[in-house]
Each structure stands twice: as structure tokens, then as C-alpha cells.
Amino acid sequence: MENVFDVLKARGFIEQATHEEELRELLGKESVTFYIGFDPTADSLHIGHFIQIMVMMHMQRHGHKPIALVGDGTVKVGDPSGKTEMRQMLVYDTINANAAKIKRQLQNHLTIDGVTGFMDNNAKWLDHLNYIEFLRDVGSKFSVNRMLSAECFKSRLERGLSFLEFNYMIMQAYDFLELYRRYNCKMQLGGNDQWSNILAGVELVRKADQGEVFGLTFKLLTTSDGRKMGKTEAGAIWIDPEKTSPYELFQYFRNVEDADVENCLRLLTFLSLEEIEALVEVEGSEINKAKEVLAYEITNIIHGKDEADKALAAARALFGNSGDLAEMPTTEMAAADFADGKGMNIIDLLMAAGLIPSKGEGRRLIAQKGITLGGEVVESHELVVGAERFEDGALMIRKGKKIYHRIVLK
């Protein structure tokens, strides 16, 4: 079987690696246990996390053994990497509820059977540490001067870095040491913003147990001009279908910029590089076929074939081909609220449909001609929407250029 290191490199995942040649050799000659950590800061993973899950799936398909580590312990401190302010502290009940949902999401995509794949929680060892013992056994292996030079801390020194957050790097490093001892885990993987933390773990295992271990980081999901992908005006693109519907996920990737299609196909699908090359070697509007394939494949991987088929049908119906508009995001409202001369203010309607986070945002969108009803631009935030605007009991709202939503009377 092809070396998974070569697969990840060819698809554009790999950003940095410790001892690259030795790591590639190791991955080619034995089944390697590796881990990626997921702090339960929310009740779902988002599309940015899905890059990490794709890497784990590639690794497992090539015979390597993932440990999906849920960070109930580390989330109580908060990772300062990439943050300009201290993370909000979560209460323990919220952490536990978030972790339970994230575990289920990880189990949907990885084989967690205790033999070819594992799941663990760092609260198991972090919650019960003896502070003095930990400082003596682990803290003594770290140089404060070196820690302060790490990007995750350096960028925060002017704004302020709490002593609580300063401990995060040591705690994550300790996770690697524990997993090395418990599972013979030889690799930690993560996004490129985790490089400093991963290096700390590699060095701790080598100093504490003389273990030969490795670190590898991969690209964050960004656009061709360097902006993070997976954000919309309504917020993050989540993999929980209750937070981001399969149709909304499909539409997000159906509408990515032309320059981002190939990168997304390489990172977020299992299509071969030959198939991807054939899809993107086109001119003009032909790239839309590749976008449709991209959207379908991602939706299929995350939500399954049935949901991907429904999203595809709804998208094709919307743009005048064949398909079923009923699969679009839809809000049902009482017909009585619009009958007999009654109606609903456009801002209240947008709020009820979940299309705007606030009334102020609704007024801004309308002022910028960003809302249409049934193809007609809304000119005033004082518009009252009555029954006459509905056709066969349905009304199509468009927000901006790409977000569509149906209101259906019942």
C-alpha cells in the first residue's frame, strides 16, 4: 500500500513535520498509533475541524491507529493559540454535554473499536494531577524563555496572557506523554496553529521517557487569499445537521470561489487526484460542475448519501433544472397570521426564519438591497409581508446572492 505520508503530501495536507524522513520511514514500515485532540469548546465540530478528521480517516485507511482525544481537561484552561483574548470559561455541565456530542461525531467517521482505533479523554489524568508533583516532574522540563518565544504566547504578551493559559502548552505536552505510556502513541497531529504545542509534546516525551516520537501539522482550511474558510454571515459551518443543515453545507461549497475548488477537493473528498485534475481542468462556467461534485462529496461524507442526494435535488430545483424545492431550508408559519389583511414585518419575518442574528443586521441588509422576496428587492425595513406575496402557500427569500430560504404557510 502507498505510504500515507506521500498521500497526505500529494493532496496538500502537510505543513510541517519533525524529522520528516524518519517519520515517513516509520509510517511505511509499521502500524503507527497517533492522536489528535479536540477540546469541547462548542457542542459540535465545524468544517475547519473536518480537515483533522479527514487526515485521521486517511491514516486509518492506511492501517494506522487513531486516538481521538477529547479535551475535557484542557478545555478548562483554554488554548491561547490564535486567540486575541482569553477564552470564555465553560461550566462543567456544558463541557460534559459538548464532549458527549463531539464523541458521537467522531465515532461517525472513525472506527473506534479498541483495536484499530481508540477514544480517550484527558480529564482522566489532568483532573487528578498533584500540582507540586506535576511541577517537579513535568514543569522542570520546560524553559520559560523558550515558551515565551512560541507564537501562541508571543502574540498575546502585549494584550495580556493569564497564568492559567500559560499552562496550556505544558498540559497538552503531558497528554502526549500519557498517550505514549498508555498506547505507545508515537505521533501527534494537528492544525498548523498547534505547531508550538506539538513540539512541546515531542520534546517532553523524549526528555521524560527517551521516546522516539513525532509531530506533524497540516494546513488550516483557508481560501486562496489566506482567509479562513467555514465562516458565513450567520456564523460557522457546523457538521451537526441541527446547526448547519445538509443543504446549507452543500450550498456553502457549491458557491466557493473558483480558485478554491481544487484545494477543497484535495482536502475534503476522497476523489483520486486524477479525478480532481479532470474536474478542474476546465474553463469559464464549466468549473460549476466541479463545485457541484465538491459540494455533493463533502455532504455525502459528513451526512450520508441520502442527505447529499436531497441537497443536490434542492440545489438543481432552485437553479431551474430538475429537483425538489421541498428539501431547501424551510420555515413553516401559520397561514392565519397572514390572512384577512394581516401580515408580518419583514424584519420579524427574517428573524423568525433564522436569516438574521439581530434586527439591526436586518435593517443593514435591507438598506444595502441585500434581501429579495419572490425575486423583488425589499426597499424598506417597514415592509409588511401579507398573504398576497405567497404563491401556492410558499414564499422564497434570498439573502445576499447565495442564501435561499422558503416560508411555507400551514
Side-chain angles (χ1 to χ4, degrees):
M1 185 180 289
E2 191 177 5
N3 191 314
V4 70
F5 188 91
D6 297 333
V7 172
L8 295 176
K9 195 159 193 175
R11 297 186 79 94
F13 282 101
I14 295 176
E15 192 78 24
Q16 300 182 87
T18 62
H19 307 88
E20 184 171 320
E21 287 304 315
E22 293 93 327
L23 175 55
R24 182 184 179 280
E25 182 182 349
L26 178 70
L27 290 169
K29 71 181 183 183
E30 67 178 72
S31 176
V32 176
T33 302
F34 67 96
Y35 95 94
I36 296 180
F38 299 88
D39 281 358
T41 54
D43 61 359
S44 173
L45 300 174
H46 54 66
I47 197 65
H49 293 121
F50 208 73
I51 291 283
Q52 302 177 53
I53 297 173
M54 287 295 295
V55 171
M56 296 178 91
M57 287 193 282
H58 277 293
M59 292 281 287
Q60 192 165 45
R61 288 181 175 201
H62 283 77
H64 303 290
K65 300 174 184 177
I67 304 170
L69 184 68
V70 181
D72 281 28
T74 39
V75 78
K76 293 165 187 170
V77 172
D79 185 2
S81 302
K83 300 295 176 185
T84 57
E85 303 290 345
M86 183 173 170
R87 289 180 185 266
Q88 180 183 355
M89 290 290 101
L90 301 175
V91 298
Y92 287 11
D93 285 350
T94 300
I95 291 171
N96 293 336
N98 289 352
K101 291 185 177 180
I102 287 172
K103 286 175 185 175
R104 287 196 292 272
Q105 291 178 346
L106 292 166
Q107 288 166 334
N108 286 339
H109 300 289
L110 302 168
T111 301
I112 307 294
D113 57 7
V115 178
T116 62
F118 309 90
M119 183 172 288
D120 217 327
N121 194 312
N122 61 17
K124 187 185 294 183
W125 50 84
L126 293 178
D127 277 4
H128 307 291
L129 284 174
N130 178 302
Y131 186 59
I132 300 297
E133 236 176 70
F134 181 69
L135 287 179
R136 286 172 63 89
D137 295 345
V138 178
S140 60
K141 306 283 194 300
F142 287 82
S143 158
V144 170
N145 289 351
R146 185 162 182 182
M147 289 174 70
L148 289 173
S149 69
E151 193 58 41
C152 59
F153 293 144
K154 195 164 57 175
S155 61
R156 284 286 301 280
L157 289 179
E158 286 186 15
R159 286 179 170 267
L161 176 73
S162 71
F163 183 70
L164 179 71
E165 296 171 289
F166 190 58
N167 282 269
Y168 190 91
M169 178 185 286
I170 301 177
M171 292 171 68
Q172 184 171 316
Y174 186 65
D175 284 345
F176 199 172
L177 181 60
E178 280 288 333
L179 294 174
Y180 174 75
R181 290 171 174 173
R182 291 167 184 254
Y183 297 92
N184 192 30
C185 177
K186 294 184 178 179
M187 281 184 70
Q188 182 185 355
L189 286 69
N192 201 41
D193 56 348
Q194 291 297 306
W195 181 240
S196 298
N197 292 333
I198 290 174
L199 284 179
V202 169
E203 290 185 9
L204 176 60
V205 176
R206 294 188 178 206
K207 287 178 180 178
D209 284 20
Q210 294 73 54
E212 187 178 8
V213 295
F214 303 88
L216 183 147
T217 63
F218 34 84
K219 286 181 179 179
L220 302 178
L221 187 61
T222 58
T223 62
S224 56
D225 59 3
R227 292 177 290 111
K228 274 191 179 181
M229 291 185 72
K231 295 283 187 183
T232 69
E233 289 179 7
I237 300 295
W238 302 98
I239 67 173
D240 181 343
E242 297 299 318
K243 294 170 75 73
T244 298
S245 72
Y247 176 81
E248 289 171 308
L249 176 73
F250 183 100
Q251 282 298 100
Y252 178 82
F253 285 100
R254 171 60 182 78
N255 291 314
V256 297
E257 297 296 329
D258 294 359
D260 299 322
V261 176
E262 182 174 2
N263 187 50
C264 288
L265 283 166
R266 286 170 175 265
L267 297 178
L268 290 168
T269 79
F270 289 108
L271 296 178
S272 70
L273 294 180
E274 291 75 21
E275 290 174 292
I276 292 170
E277 189 174 336
L279 281 168
V280 299
E281 279 194 345
V282 293
E283 295 182 1
S285 63
E286 289 297 309
I287 195 67
N288 288 330
K289 173 60 179 173
K291 291 182 182 182
E292 187 175 88
V293 171
L294 167 67
Y296 182 87
E297 290 294 325
I298 293 173
T299 309
N300 185 18
I301 291 170
I302 294 177
H303 297 300
K305 184 177 185 302
D306 285 350
E307 293 298 339
D309 288 343
K310 290 176 185 177
L312 177 61
R316 287 181 171 174
L318 182 62
F319 292 104
N321 299 315
S322 59
D324 184 3
L325 277 177
E327 299 301 338
M328 283 188 61
T330 299
T331 299
E332 290 188 343
M333 293 187 176
D337 291 340
F338 297 86
D340 302 323
K342 291 187 289 186
M344 184 178 291
N345 174 268
I346 180 61
I347 299 291
D348 294 332
L349 185 66
L350 295 174
M351 290 285 288
L355 286 168
I356 54 173
S358 67
K359 292 187 175 183
E361 173 66 8
R363 287 190 287 270
R364 183 189 68 79
L365 279 169
I366 290 169
Q368 295 175 349
K369 314 294 185 189
I371 298 292
T372 63
L373 294 183
E376 181 182 332
V377 176
V378 175
E379 300 288 350
S380 169
H381 64 266
E382 295 180 350
L383 173 71
V384 175
V385 180
E388 73 280 356
R389 289 187 175 269
F390 289 79
E391 185 175 335
D392 297 326
L395 173 64
M396 183 73 75
I397 304 176
R398 191 181 78 194
K399 173 185 170 183
K401 294 181 179 179
K402 300 175 180 178
I403 298 174
Y404 291 81
H405 196 98
R406 291 173 80 229
I407 305 296
V408 176
L409 300 182
K410 58 178 181 177

